Amino acid sequence: VQLQAFGGGLVQAGGSLRLSCTGSGSTLENHAIGWSRRAPGKEPEGASCINYSGDSTDFADSVKGRFTISRDNAKNTVYLQMNSLKPEDTAIYHCGYRKMHCYRGAYYENAFNGWGQGTQVTVSS
C-alpha cells in the first residue's frame, strides 16, 4: 500500500482544513488508517485513526472535539477534518496503515506497517 496525504496549508487560528489520504497499489478496505503529526522538536503524535470498516475511530486528547475522521472506500481515501485549529496543531501530517484495527499506545508510528509522504499544516496565531 502506498499512501499520500494532501490538503495541508496555512490557516489562521480558529480556521479549518480537510486533509485527504489516498491509497494506491492496493485497496485500503482491510486496513485501519491513522494520522500521525510531527512537529519540530517534538515526538510524533498519533492524532487520529479509523478502523477498516469505519465504525470505530480514535483521537488524541489534544484534538478531541475538534477533529473528525471518515473514509470512503470507493475512493480509497480517508479524510481528516480539522476544525478550530490552534497554533499547536502546526506539524507535518502523515497517514499510515495497519491491518484492520486502530492502535493507541507508545511508539505509535511503529505500530503501523507504513507511512506516506506528509502534508504541512501551519496555523498562525
Side-chain angles (χ1 to χ4, degrees):
V1 178
Q2 294 181 338
L3 301 176
Q4 176 74 53
F6 301 93
L10 174 64
V11 64
Q12 288 188 332
S16 298
L17 283 173
R18 188 177 80 157
L19 305 184
S20 300
C21 174
T22 300
S24 62
S26 180
T27 178
L28 299 184
E29 285 185 356
N30 297 322
H31 296 89
I33 303 297
W35 287 92
S36 175
R37 58 186 188 178
R38 305 170 187 170
K42 296 183 179 179
E43 293 292 321
E45 179 185 31
S48 183
C49 182
I50 186 166
N51 76 336
Y52 73 104
S53 61
D55 61 0
S56 178
T57 58
D58 176 77
F59 298 93
D61 289 342
S62 58
V63 308
K64 279 180 182 176
R66 301 187 297 121
F67 290 12
T68 58
I69 189 170
S70 61
R71 67 190 300 154
D72 184 342
N73 284 341
K75 295 183 178 180
N76 227 28
T77 299
V78 170
Y79 303 99
L80 183 68
Q81 178 67 43
M82 306 186 297
N83 299 327
S84 302
L85 283 163
K86 304 176 181 179
E88 51 263 44
D89 293 318
T90 295
I92 300 175
Y93 286 69
H94 299 258
C95 54
Y97 69 97
R98 68 192 307 268
K99 203 69 171 177
M100 296 184 74
H101 301 293
C102 290
Y103 172 82
R104 173 60 58 187
Y107 306 108
Y108 185 82
E109 292 190 348
N110 290 347
F112 287 73
N113 297 111
W115 294 91
Q117 188 172 353
T119 185
Q120 175 72 48
V121 172
T122 303
V123 185
S124 63
S125 57

